[in-house]
Amino acid sequence: MTSHHNTQTMKPATAAKKLGVYLEATPAEFQEGVVSRDELNALQADPPEWLRELRRNGPHPRPVVAAKLGVSIAGLARGGVTEPLTTDQIDALKQDVPEWLVKERATQAEVRKEAARLKERDAERAEQGNRPRS
């Protein structure tokens, strides 16, 4: 008896998210089809020109914009950035550094600092044999 192998597929939105690109900026054939795990792996291993161009110049999805600016996605929204940005637009924000960006970067730094403190605290408790508390 032979086993039947189903190919795992995903929606274009999921594939775009995994590739770190803005779905609406991808070619129509990518948006309209389904993407197999093998196709996704091939796109990651040897990206076609359209994918390299999107990664280089955008428009970039919010998670990528937030990472490039050093803020959270919520921080982008608080700063009024709700649409995807191109690399040039991101670079302009980095040059101009509006007040909201300074504030959100400071907030993000505090969040990271607190997360590191909690991780260290929990590691110390684990060493002492105590269970971490929420």
Side-chain angles (χ1 to χ4, degrees):
M1 189 167 164
T2 60
S3 64
H4 183 62
H5 183 317
N6 287 336
T7 302
Q8 183 182 14
T9 60
M10 62 194 82
K11 294 178 182 176
T14 303
K17 188 174 184 178
K18 290 180 181 287
L19 292 169
V21 295
Y22 182 56
L23 177 63
E24 285 75 9
T26 61
E29 60 270 12
F30 181 87
Q31 293 180 41
E32 295 164 1
V34 293
V35 180
S36 72
R37 175 65 60 191
D38 290 340
E39 290 169 331
L40 178 70
N41 290 340
L43 288 169
Q44 290 172 325
D46 186 23
E49 183 55 35
W50 65 264
L51 181 54
R52 288 195 303 271
E53 180 67 21
L54 274 179
R55 286 178 170 168
R56 188 172 33 249
N57 297 316
H60 303 287
R62 285 179 303 163
V64 173
V65 174
K68 287 179 180 271
L69 291 174
V71 300
S72 66
I73 294 171
L76 284 179
R78 285 190 295 269
V81 178
T82 57
E83 297 297 318
L85 299 180
T86 64
T87 300
D88 288 343
Q89 290 169 314
I90 293 168
D91 290 344
L93 282 172
K94 286 179 176 179
Q95 294 283 327
D96 193 27
V97 194
E99 188 176 326
W100 70 264
L101 183 54
V102 173
K103 182 180 177 205
E104 291 301 332
R105 282 179 171 170
T107 300
Q108 190 68 7
E110 285 299 316
V111 167
R112 285 190 196 110
K113 189 171 148 183
E114 178 65 5
R117 185 189 70 77
L118 293 174
K119 184 177 179 180
E120 186 177 315
R121 180 202 68 187
D122 291 347
E124 288 173 4
R125 286 182 178 174
E127 278 181 27
Q128 297 169 357
N130 296 333
R131 294 174 59 191
R133 296 184 189 131
S134 300

